[in-house]
Amino acid sequence: MIKIRVINGPNLNLLGTREPEIYGTLSLQDIQKRLEEEAAGYGIELDFFQSNHEGDIIDKIHDARAAGFSGIIINPGAFTHYSYAIRDAISSVGLPVIEVHLSNLHAREEFRSRSVIAPVCKGQICGLGADGYSAALYVLQRRLQS
Ligand code: DQA
């Protein structure tokens, strides 16, 4: 069975109550449940992880290949804009990665429009709320199952 790892970065544990006008009212648990149901429909196993710590996120990226994952969906939170360490971890692991953001980075503060992660990802989805995770899962499973 194909396995995909979903990684969420800092402050995303607060979804649902964190600036709902920007990030929506779904909690991370709501998003996880929805995505797990969709993954089950595709016959895919999901591992869902959130951390506020850069090193823990890097460890999960490193470990993904050895643990048998075929792809990664990542919302790095604010690390998106400055973590060269997460970027290097993604390019080192050699798995297809899709970057997801709930909000439209290009309609917000200037610093958010730059992602240091995007150049090493297959693609980036932003501004579609929680549907962005579903879109990333759809694309990854399509590529991995063909
Ligand atoms: C975010 C956008 C980031 O700029 C921000 O720091 C986040 C969430 C998003 O999902 O829209 O924490 O990644």
Side-chain angles (χ1 to χ4, degrees):
M1 191 187 255
I2 290 174
K3 298 201 296 176
I4 291 176
R5 175 160 274 170
V6 184
I7 300 175
N8 286 282
N11 301 308
L12 293 165
N13 54 312
L14 301 180
L15 286 180
T17 56
R18 175 192 181 194
E19 300 177 273
E21 65 289 355
I22 296 175
Y23 297 115
T25 52
L26 292 181
S27 68
L28 194 60
Q29 289 69 28
D30 294 333
I31 294 174
Q32 175 173 356
K33 190 168 174 283
R34 204 159 105 171
L35 217 59
E36 280 171 352
E37 283 166 10
E38 289 165 359
Y42 295 133
I44 279 185
E45 193 182 315
L46 269 200
D47 174 63
F48 206 89
F49 173 77
Q50 188 275 332
S51 175
N52 295 319
H53 306 282
E54 190 178 21
D56 291 343
I57 292 169
I58 291 167
D59 288 345
K60 283 286 180 185
I61 295 168
H62 287 178
D63 160 71
R65 181 179 283 283
F69 291 93
S70 304
I72 297 175
I73 295 169
I74 187 166
N75 181 347
F79 288 140
T80 303
H81 314 300
Y82 65 92
S83 177
Y84 298 120
I86 291 178
R87 175 194 170 120
D88 284 352
I90 290 173
S91 46
S92 305
V93 81
L95 291 174
V97 176
I98 300 187
E99 180 185 334
V100 171
H101 300 280
L102 295 148
S103 64
N104 181 352
L105 301 180
H106 308 290
R108 301 185 62 196
E109 300 95 326
E110 177 126 27
F111 75 87
R112 294 189 202 274
S113 62
R114 175 164 182 251
S115 167
V116 301
I117 308 294
V120 294
C121 292
K122 288 284 172 210
Q124 183 201 61
I125 298 168
C126 80
L128 304 181
D131 286 340
Y133 290 89
S134 302
L137 179 63
Y138 170 76
V139 172
L140 258 189
Q141 64 80 27
R142 230 173 101 88
R143 293 187 170 204
L144 294 170
Q145 309 216 80
S146 64

